[in-house]
Amino acid sequence: MMKKLILKETDLDLSNVCLGTANFGEKLTKEQAYEILDTYVAVGGNFIDSANVYCKWIEELGNCSEQYLGSWLRDRKAYNKIVIATKGGHYDFKAPEISRVREETIRADLEESLQTLGVDHIDFYWLHRDDESVDITEIVDIMESLVKEGKIRYYGASNYKQYRIEQAVSYAEEKGLQGFTAVSNQWSMARVNPGGNMNQDPSLVLMDSDYYQWHKRSKMPIIPFSSSAHGFFDKLDRKLKMAEDMKRAYMNQDNLEMYQTLCKLRKETGVSLYALSIAWLTNQPFQTLPVAAVSRPEQLDDFVVASSLKLEKDVIEKYSL
């Protein structure tokens, strides 16, 4: 069964590997999504990541990820078994230059998510994007008002730069507010080549060495996305044809050395490269709950292994940023 932990500064008891659902609707049918959700719960998982914008990049699908989740929650009567973390405030794909980090648009996304999921509040709500032209104190105040109204319980920042998080933390401490409880930026064991990210969206924020050291000092939890580097190590190991955008993103000497280390650990432990790379995140010196998606239920076996696997401290430190 999967290991659980109490997320820092909350009462949320979460499985330490979060199930991502961005592929629900676009790549997986409703029946396939149900099978994955059922299996995830059966192996002890209870933390599921979604977003109001997931699948809206395909016009006819709408917020399909949340739709499948809402349907599954109702059919399985699973409301008290699961913590849903969903997101709002993402830009409109038809007008990416227009910020939606505004109270009215955040509230609109939240209300749509509540209705779709069939719940009266969200346990953990992410702001999906930032707008650096808006004072961070205004953003925190918006989120605090949603907490006071009972619409959300805890909230976090996805794709927020370090200086913005530091400002938000200082403001919350000064005013005695709850503040951001966690950060969700892109991070995996595999290092991304500068300027070569597979997703070229300039509003994405990746973990870097300064941010990593800040997390070590502050102990602010991180719930990173793209935590498996899109299966880079597995594709390298199986000698599968690698897409050019993956080569551009991840093919470098550091990652090739990491691959050799993972192969050695696999030989010693019998654990898959995928599970080892996820466990590298769960073994960090601050709470790290990686978000990972699967396309088949049997892949969740690696979640269970990674959840409890202990890695030597030197392996963590050697490949840290």
Side-chain angles (χ1 to χ4, degrees), residues 193 232 241-252:
N193 290 317
F232 169 75
K241 184 177 180 180
M242 195 174 291
E244 289 303 315
D245 59 347
M246 180 171 282
K247 290 180 184 178
R248 182 189 68 222
Y250 295 111
M251 193 61 73
N252 57 58

Side-chain angles (χ1 to χ4, degrees), residues 137-157:
T137 64
E138 294 181 30
I139 294 174
V140 172
D141 286 343
I142 292 168
M143 303 309 289
E144 289 292 320
S145 67
L146 296 174
V147 173
K148 290 176 183 176
E149 293 168 23
K151 298 284 189 180
I152 63 176
R153 295 192 62 216
Y154 303 102
Y155 61 94

